[in-house]
Amino acid sequence: MTDLPLTALTRVRRLPHHQRTDRAALYGVIDDALSATVAIVRDDRPVALPVGIGRDGDDLLIHGSTGSDFFRRIAAGAPVCVTVTHLLGLKYARSLFDSSMRYRCAVVHGVASVVPPEEKEAALLALSEHLMPGRSADVRPMTARELAATMVLRIPLAEASVKDNAGSLVEEDDDGEDRAVWAGTLPLRVVAGDPVTSAQTAAGTPVPASIGRAAARIAASGTA
């Protein structure tokens, strides 16, 4: 597994000692996430939208409507910037200036390619398995009309940066601050609540095991 190359786009300039260049770190940030922010420049203005994500090997998968101007521009070759962030905690230092956050994040730069029709269903199933593991076995298959209305895009994970300050310190020895002021960390994590059955679901329908698997996945990662 090769390291991530350092380029003008991917080199971390602020606190560079928190940068990770191993692909395992990049894949971990992506695989522990359910969504990302995708940004492009449209008509000379930046536009950023949240999307669900999945990973297929060295590619990031996203999907949307074939009628979406945003997705059509990406499919036509508009450069994209994808950001994935896991907020792990608030760092309470003894001054506002030194207070900060703990996080893991990845930023991916690239040009997407459209998944061809013959590969689209498999790519959508890969996305579904990441977002809702096992759900595809509970529901009917996708129809030809649904497949035709959906665009799936691959973004190569070739140019990306990862920053991980999860273990960063709140304070330093001999920093001259007043130790009578409380300092520490407020940990943050994403949790899954109890499933809520829709009003139109037949009475007595059991909650499928796939819902529990999704909850367990979120609990294991603690982030989304």
Side-chain angles (χ1 to χ4, degrees), residues 156-171:
L157 297 172
E159 193 167 18
S161 60
V162 178
K163 195 172 181 181
D164 184 342
N165 79 342
S168 59
L169 300 176
V170 175
E171 57 191 347

Side-chain angles (χ1 to χ4, degrees), residues 5 8 19-20 27 37 90 95 99 117 122 128 145 159 195 216 224:
Q19 181 164 18
R20 296 278 301 275
Y27 296 163
T37 299
L90 297 175
S95 69
S99 296
S128 172
R145 181 177 181 180
E159 193 167 18

